[in-house]
Amino acid sequence: MSEKVRTRLEELDDFEEGSQKELLNLTQQDYVNRIEELNQSLKDAWASDQKVKALKIVIQCSKLLSDTSVIQFYPSKFVLITDILDTFGKLVYERIFSMCLDNRSVLPDHFTPENVNDTAKETCLNWFFKIASIRELIPRFYVEASILKCNKFLSKTGILECLPRLTCMIRGIGDPLVSVYARAYLCRVGMEVAPHLKESLNKNFFDFLLTFKQIHGDTVQNQLVVQGVELPSYLPLYSPAMDWIFQCISYHAPEALLTEMMERCKKLGNNALLLNSVMSAFRAEFVATRSMDFIGMIKECDESGFPKHLLFRSLGLNLALADPPESDRLQILNEAWKVITKLKNPQDYINCAEVWVEYTCKHFTKREVNTVLADVIKHMTPDRAFEDSYPQLQSIIKKVIAHFHDFSVLFSVEKFLPFLDMFQKESVRVEVCKYIMEAFIKHQQEPTKDPVILNALLHICKTMHDSVNALTLEDEKRTLAHLINGFIKMVSFGRDFEQQLSFYVESRSMFCNLEPVLVQLIHSVNRLAMETRKVMKGNHSRKTAAFVRACVAYCFITIPSLVGIFTRLNLYLHSGQVALANQCLSQADAFFKAAISLIPEVPKMINIDGKMRPSESFLLEFLCNFFSTLLIVPDHPEHGVLFLVRELLNVIQDYTWEDNSDDKIRLYTCVLHLLSAMSQETYLYHIDKVDSNDSLYGGDVKFLAENNKLCETVMAQILEHLKTLAKDEALKRQSLLGLSFFNSILAHGDLRNNKLNQLSVNLWHLAQRHGCADTRTMVKTLEYIKKRSKQPGMNHLTELALRLPLQTRT
């Protein structure tokens, strides 16, 4: 038996791969990589059923936690190695759990040892015996703690009995840093497997308090001298472990226990390191209600390498989450700021100031906030210290904006804009401007004309705009334009329209590099012209007529500076409609002529959201809208009948359309609809106080003759195109276009005209000639004609219906 034990011990102590020696003299990154390799080796060994090898890997890794030769790396090493321990613990637990399962039963979630079969229990005991054979204390403690959960397979009270024993084992660890991390690990696994056993965790904590004075003992001091580490660098290494221990204890703990812990800290001389962990771990409400007590403890505490400003920072973090008693608020701020403002190191100062700015914004007025900002500027400006603290300064700005939603108050804080001037790195400066604009758009409910707000935001928007260059991404441009547009929309001078137009003129000069902003400005000026018309109820005075012409001129000279061709076309049309509505007839003509002259420049492909798309469908949509507007545009007295329509037809005729495209003919069909509407005695719609051609010509015979002549020309073009489609591959298109043209004649033509009547019959036959027609559509069309023929004055459609045969499907 003794021989067997000896062999087992030798097996566990001898580790061929990844021994401790292999981990000496590695860089930090190499060390991390090596630990990750060991973690993978552990999984691979387990998967290949090499359980002893897996245990050896875990033991050797645990041994590394006794090594403090590079003391500042210890917390990182603890995280890396406990990750391996967690993996091991999970693998062992899952292995034993799987042995409890068979084809007949499944373990319930809250199983008891009675549910576990003997084989699983024996295997579990075997693991604990193997671990008990480990000679060294630290690996024995860590490996057993990692499989603490497996006690559930053996006994209901197993974990309850193990936790105090493991807590006592930690007393044997001499190095206080190694000891505190061992306690943190025990707290972590203890909380995971038995959160109800808080007594053992409390015992762990009180043990820690009893040994806390070791930190200042000769052994530790000598070790620090050997490694050349100062006490202010050494003490913060304890914080992660202590914070975790305190958090485990304070979780759902009654106030009485927390008060007792405070008293114990006082008895230990209010050690700064201890006090910091207490404030980090306790509930924010608990700390906030006792803020003055904590400030008293901070004042009396022995800094001993852990500066007081870090304690005030921890206190400030709690006060950001919970409010102190109202009567104490000003005194708390004064006490904290008294310490913070004396800090000489800019980095220490800004780390504290950043936290306390939120407290100041939350509980005080702009006067106190202004004082704090002034103090930050005073500390961070010398030697351009702000250049190393942009994240903290950004955080301060965010906190101020989060609490001041009234921008007239925010910009009246005297030091706010000087504070912004500290952001001299362009990328950071633009980010800060974006925060401010996002907050303004989100929280500004009413339009404003406050000069303080306007001047400040114009400056901020200008900063964002000026950051745009050739390398700026399209997404970034869109974001900036959206923010600037949000600002422009929120500016209103009420009935002072001239002041409003002046603002738009100034904005155009400031934001000329962002096309979406110029588009927004054109829309805003058009809206301004229409508001002027609304106020004057359409009856412009001499002054308002001059003003709307100024608005129209603004749009006319701004549109050509835009790049997007369809943006320009649509704005020409929209602005022409606004000019027409305001009785600016010659200006409206100028817009429409500009749009017509731009059509030949439309490229075959356009970029839409980064993808190249054919432009014809967009051009077709634009021209259909254009025709609808041309119905009400009166002819210019010097340019002859239907001057704009003729110009547009010439452009359509000369435009190079896609091969195998019928869009040109669809447009000609729309032109026929327009000419049909223009031949009516009274047009379908009008613009108030603008005489359209129905009023100008009054159904004049010469005008109608010109109109008919134009109709014949357009129809000839359509019929010519239909002839070109008499090829096998184009017969389907010919049928569809023929039926479409038939429907246009039916809807807009006078079918009492024999020529037109005969043409419609021919088109009907053409649509069916090659069996390509949609029979269902043609049946419905014929039913519609018969139904309409029964209406008064529509008898001629009865005869037409008789001349329109339907082909059978065969």
Side-chain angles (χ1 to χ4, degrees):
M1 187 66 190
S2 61
E3 187 65 31
K4 185 177 177 184
V5 170
R6 190 180 303 114
T7 307
R8 177 182 287 168
L9 291 175
E10 286 170 357
E11 270 187 354
L12 295 178
D13 285 342
D14 173 39
F15 182 46
E16 314 83 19
E17 302 167 62
S19 66
Q20 284 174 283
K21 289 179 183 176
E22 285 185 36
L23 290 164
L24 295 174
N25 303 319
L26 295 180
T27 65
Q28 184 168 320
Q29 188 56 51
D30 289 339
Y31 196 102
V32 171
N33 295 340
R34 183 73 185 107
I35 293 290
E36 285 174 358
E37 285 172 21
L38 286 171
N39 202 349
Q40 191 56 47
S41 299
L42 167 65
K43 292 174 185 174
D44 294 342
W46 191 272
S48 58
D49 212 27
Q50 298 180 57
K51 303 293 188 294
V52 173
K53 181 181 176 184
L55 180 58
K56 285 195 284 186
I57 291 172
V58 175
I59 292 168
Q60 292 299 324
C61 288
S62 302
K63 283 182 181 180
L64 297 171
L65 289 171
S66 61
D67 173 33
T68 56
S69 56
V70 185
I71 206 159
Q72 285 164 304
F73 184 59
Y74 193 85
S76 302
K77 182 163 67 172
F78 171 79
V79 171
L80 292 167
I81 290 170
T82 51
D83 189 36
I84 292 178
L85 288 163
D86 292 342
T87 302
F88 175 71
K90 186 181 175 190
L91 290 170
V92 171
Y93 183 85
E94 287 174 353
R95 163 86 174 133
I96 298 168
F97 190 82
S98 68
M99 296 173 76
C100 300
L101 305 177
D102 53 40
N103 296 331
R104 288 164 298 161
S105 64
V106 175
L107 277 184
D109 289 339
H110 301 289
F111 65 87
T112 60
E114 288 77 25
N115 304 125
V116 179
N117 59 43
D118 290 343
T119 309
K121 282 183 179 177
E122 190 177 341
T123 304
C124 187
L125 272 171
N126 191 32
W127 277 111
F128 280 110
F129 290 151
K130 279 179 183 171
I131 291 165
S133 303
I134 300 171
R135 293 177 180 178
E136 293 182 32
L137 171 63
I138 287 177
R140 186 165 73 249
F141 162 77
Y142 272 106
V143 180
E144 183 175 352
S146 72
I147 66 162
L148 183 66
K149 191 177 179 181
C150 294
N151 278 286
K152 288 170 66 177
F153 297 110
L154 301 175
S155 159
K156 287 182 180 178
T157 58
I159 294 174
L160 178 62
E161 292 162 4
C162 278
L163 277 173
R165 179 171 55 77
L166 290 171
T167 302
C168 292
M169 278 173 74
I170 297 172
R171 293 176 184 173
I173 299 174
D175 189 306
L177 185 66
V178 178
S179 167
V180 77
Y181 276 94
R183 293 186 191 283
Y185 186 67
L186 186 60
C187 280
R188 204 189 84 192
V189 294
M191 283 295 285
E192 187 181 337
V193 300
H196 54 287
L197 301 177
K198 294 292 285 289
E199 283 303 315
S200 295
L201 298 179
N202 295 347
K203 185 171 184 285
N204 193 355
F205 167 68
F206 293 130
D207 265 11
F208 164 67
L209 289 184
L210 290 171
T211 58
F212 188 72
K213 58 190 177 196
Q214 282 182 297
I215 291 175
H216 301 289
D218 291 342
T219 309
V220 172
Q221 297 301 322
N222 293 339
Q223 188 183 16
L224 295 182
V225 170
V226 170
Q227 294 198 32
V229 176
E230 297 290 330
L231 201 59
S233 301
Y234 173 67
L235 289 180
L237 299 177
Y238 285 81
S239 291
M242 288 170 63
D243 289 352
W244 181 261
I245 295 168
F246 276 80
Q247 279 175 11
C248 290
I249 293 162
S250 63
Y251 182 67
H252 289 326
E255 296 244 336
L257 177 63
L258 302 180
T259 308
E260 182 191 347
M261 289 170 72
M262 273 184 75
E263 292 304 317
R264 287 197 174 232
C265 289
K266 285 179 184 176
K267 285 176 186 173
L268 284 168
N270 293 327
N271 181 281
L273 177 62
L274 202 57
L275 194 53
N276 188 62
S277 290
V278 168
M279 287 191 289
S280 299
F282 283 4
R283 293 194 303 273
E285 295 79 8
F286 177 87
V287 176
T289 51
R290 295 164 179 75
S291 296
M292 291 310 298
D293 292 343
F294 275 103
I295 285 175
M297 290 168 74
I298 292 170
K299 281 180 169 179
E300 293 171 16
C301 79
D302 170 24
E303 291 191 61
S304 61
F306 199 92
K308 284 184 181 178
H309 68 83
L310 292 181
L311 299 176
F312 274 108
R313 187 177 190 280
S314 297
L315 178 61
L317 288 169
N318 281 288
L319 296 179
L321 300 171
D323 298 337
E326 196 167 338
S327 56
D328 294 342
R329 287 175 187 174
L330 184 59
Q331 191 179 351
I332 291 167
L333 180 64
N334 288 336
E335 292 289 348
W337 210 259
K338 229 185 281 179
V339 174
I340 295 167
T341 196
K342 287 177 184 170
L343 294 172
K344 301 291 183 212
N345 183 312
Q347 205 58 44
D348 291 343
Y349 171 83
I350 197 65
N351 285 337
C352 284
E354 174 205 350
V355 171
W356 281 89
V357 161
E358 184 162 7
Y359 175 78
T360 312
C361 293
K362 205 172 178 184
H363 300 297
F364 298 98
T365 63
K366 69 174 188 177
R367 188 170 69 87
E368 288 80 4
V369 172
N370 192 56
T371 305
V372 169
L373 293 182
D375 197 59
V376 174
I377 293 168
K378 178 182 160 189
H379 278 78
M380 301 309 292
T381 305
D383 300 324
R384 299 176 69 83
F386 54 76
E387 290 182 342
D388 300 320
S389 307
Y390 284 137
Q392 292 91 332
L393 295 172
Q394 283 176 271
S395 174
I396 289 173
I397 283 285
K398 283 184 180 176
K399 287 168 181 173
V400 172
I401 293 169
H403 289 89
F404 284 86
H405 294 163
D406 185 341
F407 278 76
S408 57
V409 174
L410 178 65
F411 291 127
S412 63
V413 174
E414 189 185 338
K415 294 296 180 181
F416 184 76
L417 290 178
F419 189 91
L420 285 185
D421 289 337
M422 285 198 292
F423 295 98
Q424 293 191 7
K425 185 180 178 183
E426 188 181 62
S427 59
V428 180
R429 192 179 180 85
V430 170
E431 279 302 309
V432 171
C433 291
K434 281 159 75 174
Y435 299 148
I436 297 169
M437 291 311 303
E438 282 164 6
F440 177 78
I441 291 167
K442 183 178 179 182
H443 298 296
Q444 185 71 24
Q445 301 296 325
E446 298 294 324
T448 182
K449 61 176 180 179
D450 186 327
V452 175
I453 293 178
L454 296 192
N455 288 333
L457 290 184
L458 274 172
H459 170 68
I460 288 166
C461 289
K462 179 78 170 127
T463 302
M464 293 195 301
H465 169 270
D466 291 350
S467 70
V468 173
N469 56 42
L471 300 177
T472 307
L473 297 173
E474 287 302 316
D475 277 355
E476 177 69 3
K477 286 183 187 176
R478 267 197 292 273
T479 302
L480 297 178
H482 169 72
L483 294 173
I484 295 171
N485 283 344
F487 163 60
I488 288 169
K489 288 177 193 171
M490 291 306 294
V491 176
S492 172
F493 290 90
R495 285 290 186 89
D496 190 347
F497 291 164
E498 289 185 356
Q499 184 68 35
Q500 189 82 33
L501 183 59
S502 297
F503 169 74
Y504 292 144
V505 170
E506 185 183 359
S507 297
R508 180 177 62 188
S509 65
M510 293 176 79
F511 309 127
C512 55
N513 288 337
L514 288 170
E515 184 156 314
V517 178
L518 294 178
V519 171
Q520 176 61 46
L521 287 170
I522 292 166
H523 283 307
S524 298
V525 171
N526 278 329
R527 186 164 168 267
L528 189 60
M530 294 307 288
E531 280 182 12
T532 308
R533 178 181 184 273
K534 185 179 176 184
V535 168
M536 300 303 292
K537 297 179 181 171
N539 299 310
H540 282 301
S541 66
R542 194 170 174 181
K543 184 178 178 183
T544 59
F547 177 74
V548 294
R549 282 198 294 274
C551 291
V552 168
Y554 177 101
C555 297
F556 193 74
I557 62 174
T558 308
I559 293 172
S561 63
L562 304 175
V563 175
I565 193 153
F566 279 102
T567 305
R568 277 183 280 161
L569 283 171
N570 286 310
L571 285 173
Y572 274 133
L573 178 58
H574 181 66
S575 302
Q577 291 165 345
V578 170
L580 206 58
N582 284 284
Q583 299 119 53
C584 302
L585 301 183
S586 59
Q587 287 88 344
D589 270 357
F591 278 116
F592 298 140
K593 284 176 189 173
I596 291 169
S597 64
L598 192 58
I599 291 167
E601 296 177 25
V602 174
K604 294 289 169 287
M605 306 291 284
I606 54 171
N607 189 326
I608 297 175
D609 296 332
K611 292 181 181 176
M612 298 306 289
R613 302 274 174 85
S615 64
E616 274 196 15
S617 59
F618 297 97
L619 184 57
L620 190 66
E621 183 185 2
F622 167 75
L623 288 171
C624 289
N625 288 337
F626 201 175
F627 293 143
S628 302
T629 303
L630 288 180
L631 175 64
I632 49 172
V633 178
D635 281 343
H636 193 285
E638 296 174 9
H639 291 137
V641 176
L642 301 178
F643 169 72
L644 288 174
V645 178
R646 291 175 190 279
E647 286 273 303
L648 191 52
L649 280 172
N650 289 336
V651 168
I652 293 170
Q653 177 65 27
D654 295 339
Y655 187 79
T656 308
W657 299 89
E658 288 287 329
D659 295 335
N660 302 321
S661 166
D662 300 319
D663 286 340
K664 182 178 178 181
I665 301 309
R666 291 193 179 93
L667 278 177
Y668 280 148
T669 308
C670 290
V671 172
L672 284 178
H673 300 168
L674 169 64
L675 294 172
S676 170
M678 282 183 160
S679 66
Q680 308 302 311
E681 285 184 22
T682 305
Y683 290 171
L684 296 166
Y685 45 88
H686 293 88
I687 286 184
D688 191 31
K689 298 187 172 53
V690 173
D691 290 331
S692 297
N693 284 343
D694 57 345
S695 301
L696 292 180
Y697 294 111
D700 182 66
V701 177
K702 286 182 181 178
F703 172 73
L704 291 176
E706 286 288 333
N707 190 312
N708 289 340
K709 197 174 172 185
L710 208 50
C711 279
E712 287 172 10
T713 308
V714 173
M715 288 170 73
Q717 290 283 342
I718 295 173
L719 294 171
E720 190 63 36
H721 183 76
L722 284 171
K723 282 180 190 173
T724 64
L725 297 179
K727 301 167 191 166
D728 289 346
E729 70 277 6
L731 292 176
K732 180 79 174 171
R733 284 166 55 203
Q734 187 189 53
S735 174
L736 288 171
L737 276 179
L739 187 58
S740 172
F741 191 21
F742 172 85
N743 285 330
S744 291
I745 293 173
L746 183 65
H748 299 277
D750 182 0
L751 288 169
R752 284 169 294 201
N753 180 308
N754 289 334
K755 282 186 180 179
L756 212 52
N757 195 301
Q758 185 57 47
L759 176 61
S760 64
V761 173
N762 293 344
L763 288 168
W764 181 268
H765 285 289
L766 179 68
Q768 297 185 102
R769 182 176 298 163
H770 301 286
C772 297
D774 180 352
T775 310
R776 185 179 297 175
T777 304
M778 300 201 78
V779 168
K780 286 186 175 178
T781 305
L782 194 54
E783 285 173 1
Y784 167 75
I785 294 169
K786 289 174 180 175
K787 187 177 177 182
R788 201 169 161 206
S789 67
K790 294 173 183 174
Q791 294 175 357
M794 292 292 175
N795 295 335
H796 60 284
L797 292 181
T798 307
E799 183 193 343
L800 177 66
L802 295 172
R803 298 173 67 197
L804 302 177
L806 278 173
Q807 279 188 348
T808 62
R809 287 182 184 276
T810 55

